[in-house]
Amino acid sequence: MKSSILLDGKAISEKIRNRIAETLAKAKSEGKGVPTLATILVGDNPASETYVNMKVKACEKVGMGSRYVRMKEETTTEELLAEIRKLNADASVNGILLQHPVPHQIDERLCFDEIALEKDVDGVTTISFGKLSMNSEAYFPCTPYGMVLLLQEYGIEVSGKHAVVVGRSPILGKPMAIMLTNLNATVTLCHSKTKNLPELVKQADIVVGAVGKPEFIKADWIKEGAVVLDAGYNVGNVGDIEISKVKDKASYYTPVPGGVGPMTISVLLLQTMYSFLNQFSPKLDSHASNR
Ligand code: NAP
């Protein structure tokens, strides 16, 4: 049996980030300044705090500025909207990331949709989603686009394949299903009401785990030779798929950690860089034209 190939998100990310650092150093030497990513964290969710710190550090490492806006747990929707409007109006800010999830009293969708389209480097607005659905230029949700970049980087053919995506959240499963459709896969999008999930997963040439439940997708559901992408990240450093057991049967698989996670941050940096560079060549609407 052929052994499976690890989709090395860490190594690919390093390549992407080196490229970003080089481009930004050049832009700086030309007197263009540096991009700034503004990150808003509402409340004191320790996991969110860790993610935000990782993003801030990643910005620094590639020579990007970051603005960290911390808001208290009791923040209201109106207060958060006002903060987003301020960042929208600030010409020195190129990208805005509102860390998900926000405390329950906040209308998260309303706040996401307040982010100016040209600063929506996390691809969370309804308009960006609509543009993606129409296969037109937009910034993409970072995690699914990170997975697509991995497929492309390893030359994995998507066209004509049957992809089964498990999970339909607006930032992950649903846009991933659309991206794979745009790449000419035949896509089955599964969720908590799906019947016969194991049977559906068994038909997949490409499986995407985006459920948020540790090792929920079992190794014996996976077809021999399938490409396995695990977006999940759960307590104990495990994904949503039984990856350790999948290694023997998949053609390609993402490890957890070191697979999809680093790619998510790299896409965020990449899209912030494009937003910054677009100021100087406004014809380039987004990186979609570089695909
Ligand atoms: P989410 O918003 O909680 O969505 C989970 C999805 O899974 C929902 O669509 C839900 O279906 C579906 N689901 C739940 N139970 C199911 C079941 N028994 N059978 C089939 N589907 C089921 O989660 P998310 O934000 O998309 O995140 C998913 C995972 O990705 C988590 O592990 C998260 O930590 C990880 N993540 C990783 C990154 C990264 O950078 N690596 C970024 C974001 C998220 P319904 O729609 O029917 O409720």
Side-chain angles (χ1 to χ4, degrees):
M1 194 185 56
K2 257 174 62 183
S3 59
S4 15
I5 297 172
L6 179 147
L7 297 170
D8 194 341
K10 217 168 146 193
I12 303 297
S13 275
E14 189 143 334
K15 241 170 65 177
I16 295 173
R17 293 184 203 190
N18 286 341
R19 230 172 50 214
I20 294 173
E22 275 167 30
T23 308
L24 293 185
K26 184 166 174 281
K28 196 173 171 187
S29 72
E30 291 165 355
K32 291 176 174 163
V34 296
T36 296
L37 172 69
T39 304
I40 309 173
L41 175 62
V42 188
D44 354 272
N45 178 330
S48 293
E49 210 164 316
T50 306
Y51 295 141
V52 168
N53 286 335
M54 282 164 72
K55 288 164 190 172
V56 169
K57 269 198 200 127
C59 282
E60 281 166 14
K61 240 179 140 184
V62 296
M64 209 175 261
S66 61
R67 179 97 51 90
Y68 189 178
V69 180
R70 287 220 56 165
M71 301 184 80
K72 57 185 189 314
E73 184 75 33
E74 306 73 40
T75 299
T76 63
T77 299
E78 265 318 313
E79 286 167 336
L80 181 51
L81 287 171
E83 190 56 52
I84 294 169
R85 287 184 197 120
K86 239 178 9 198
L87 295 170
N88 282 342
D90 185 337
S92 68
V93 170
N94 305 100
I96 300 171
L97 171 103
L98 171 58
Q99 184 63 41
H100 161 88
V102 294
H104 67 275
Q105 76 277 9
I106 293 175
D107 184 337
E108 186 179 76
R109 176 47 40 205
L110 196 66
C111 293
F112 276 154
D113 283 341
E114 194 64 26
I115 297 172
L117 188 61
E118 68 279 9
K119 297 188 182 187
D120 181 23
V121 293
D122 202 25
V124 293
T125 62
T126 302
I127 294 181
S128 293
F129 185 87
K131 282 175 168 272
L132 168 65
S133 306
M134 292 299 153
N135 205 7
S136 67
E137 294 188 355
Y139 294 120
F140 300 144
C142 297
T143 306
Y145 190 46
M147 287 191 271
V148 167
L149 284 184
L150 273 180
L151 292 171
Q152 291 175 340
E153 199 58 48
Y154 281 81
I156 298 168
E157 183 60 78
V158 174
S159 180
K161 297 285 167 61
H162 181 200
V164 174
V165 180
V166 190
R168 60 171 166 183
S169 74
I171 54 153
L172 216 176
K174 212 181 270 185
M176 185 63 186
I178 293 169
M179 282 182 203
L180 291 168
T181 305
N182 290 346
L183 293 168
N184 298 318
T186 302
V187 180
T188 303
L189 180 56
C190 304
H191 45 78
S192 65
K193 306 290 184 292
T194 298
K195 296 202 165 58
N196 300 328
L197 185 63
E199 296 314 312
L200 291 168
V201 174
K202 279 176 190 171
Q203 294 169 27
D205 304 309
I206 300 170
V207 180
V208 179
V211 194
K213 293 186 175 167
E215 302 196 327
F216 173 78
I217 298 168
K218 304 301 171 203
D220 63 9
W221 302 359
I222 308 284
K223 185 168 83 173
E224 196 78 38
V227 175
V228 178
L229 303 171
D230 192 347
Y233 189 59
N234 305 291
V235 177
N237 269 351
V238 290
D240 291 347
I241 303 179
E242 270 189 327
I243 282 291
S244 57
K245 295 186 189 160
V246 158
K247 283 179 195 166
D248 298 331
K249 56 196 319 201
S251 53
Y252 296 87
Y253 72 96
T254 53
V256 179
V260 176
M263 292 300 290
T264 299
I265 298 182
S266 297
V267 171
L268 179 69
L269 299 174
L270 200 58
Q271 300 197 122
T272 305
M273 179 182 81
Y274 286 131
S275 169
F276 166 73
L277 294 177
N278 284 349
Q279 299 174 85
F280 308 104
S281 57
K283 260 170 133 181
L284 182 66
D285 190 30
S286 82
H287 67 81
S289 53
N290 288 349
R291 272 183 287 167

